[in-house]
């Protein structure tokens, strides 16, 4: 490079002289070598470099995932899937009773997970199904129509699922037909006087709602009429009589406990001179008797 200079001017003075070295009067110069970085950056006013390329290299062991078939740190098991109905859950924890996850085929339930079952699906009439600590269904809160207990959702429960007795097969109240034979629970009503001339032996009563007839039995059945007989919770009072020298009077009164059971009394009265059995000459005189009764259809 040829440099032309006028007489009296200095070349490369000041800051420019730092970029040249070894200049001589002969006009030759040696340029000093400099080393530059392979990465150049242009800095903007915001302090963010533009035009630069950054390469990040991460070293270390890759982290495993639940369901990859490999038991990694923090996992109790890993069966290669994320199913919750086998022995290893979707969190890679060993399935146990009480973890709130239903293990199909092993547990009936687990906590609030009831396997889609309810009291109704298990054959009960209603109620609330629960889960035991053994992960088996708890049906103690379920209602069973016909067990004799009036549970939630039941209007009645007469201990059976028969229709036509005031409580139907779904334990809903229905019109009650009282007609039928009600057997005394316990020993029969028995009484005798005048050496057996008067004998009462009753083990059942025949009730009928249409006329309230009760067929009772001294030696032979006699009709007894009175107030209408109603069930499942009505009252009744009925009377009958056998006239004679010793008139026998019979009265049955009671109230229904349910459509098939009533409790009350059976009363026998005697009036007339002959009731003394001729002053005891023919045995023990006849005197009034009252018997407590529980009768079931």
């Amino acid at each position: 490079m040829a440099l032309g200079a006028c007489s009296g001017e200095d070349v490369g003075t000041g800051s420019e002289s730092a970029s040249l070295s070894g200049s001589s009067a002969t006009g030759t110069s040696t340029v000093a070598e400099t080393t530059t970085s392979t990465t150049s950056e242009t800095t903007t006013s915001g302090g963010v470099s533009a035009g630069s390329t950054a390469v990040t290299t991460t070293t270390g062991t890759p982290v495993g995932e639940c369901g990859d078939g490999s038991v990694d740190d923090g996992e109790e098991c890993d069966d290669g899937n994320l199913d919750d109905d086998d022995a290893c859950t979707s969190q890679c924890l060993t399935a146990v009773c009480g973890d709130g996850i239903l293990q199909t085929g092993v547990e009936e339930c687990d906590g609030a997970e009831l396997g889609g079952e309810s009291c109704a699906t298990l054959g009960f009439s209603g109620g609330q199904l629960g889960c035991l600590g053994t992960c088996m269904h708890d049906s103690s809160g379920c209602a069973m129509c016909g067990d004799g207990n009036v549970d939630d959702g039941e209007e009645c429960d007469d201990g059976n699922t028969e229709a036509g007795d005031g409580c139907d097969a779904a334990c809903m109240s229905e019109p009650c037909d009282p007609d039928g034979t009600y057997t005394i629970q316990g020993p029969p009503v028995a009484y005798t006087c005048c050496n057996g001339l008067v004998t009462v032996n009753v083990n059942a009563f025949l009730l009928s709602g249409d006329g309230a007839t009760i067929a009772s039995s001294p030696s032979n059945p006699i009709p007894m009429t009175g107030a209408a007989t109603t069930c499942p919770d009505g009252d009744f009072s009925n009377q009958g009589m056998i006239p004679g020298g010793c008139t026998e009077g019979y009265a049955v009164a009671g109230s229904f406990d349910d459509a098939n059971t009533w409790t009350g009394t059976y009363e026998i009265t005697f009036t007339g001179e002959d009731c003394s059995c001729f002053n005891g000459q023919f045995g023990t005189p006849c005197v009034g008797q009252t018997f407590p009764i529980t009768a079931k259809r």
Side-chain angles (χ1 to χ4, degrees), residues 10 22 109 161 177 187 242 260:
D10 293 331
C109 57
T161 55
D177 181 1
I242 299 178
N260 295 299

Side-chain angles (χ1 to χ4, degrees), residues 66-67 79 81-86 88-93 101:
C66 180
D79 56 0
N81 63 64
L82 299 179
D83 293 336
D84 275 331
D85 59 356
D86 53 23
C88 188
T89 71
S90 59
Q91 286 80 43
C92 283
L93 300 176
I101 300 174

Side-chain angles (χ1 to χ4, degrees), residues 8-33:
E9 293 182 355
D10 293 331
V11 178
T13 62
S15 61
E16 295 177 0
S17 64
S19 63
L20 299 176
S21 62
S23 59
S24 63
T26 61
T28 62
S29 64
T30 301
V31 180
E33 294 182 356

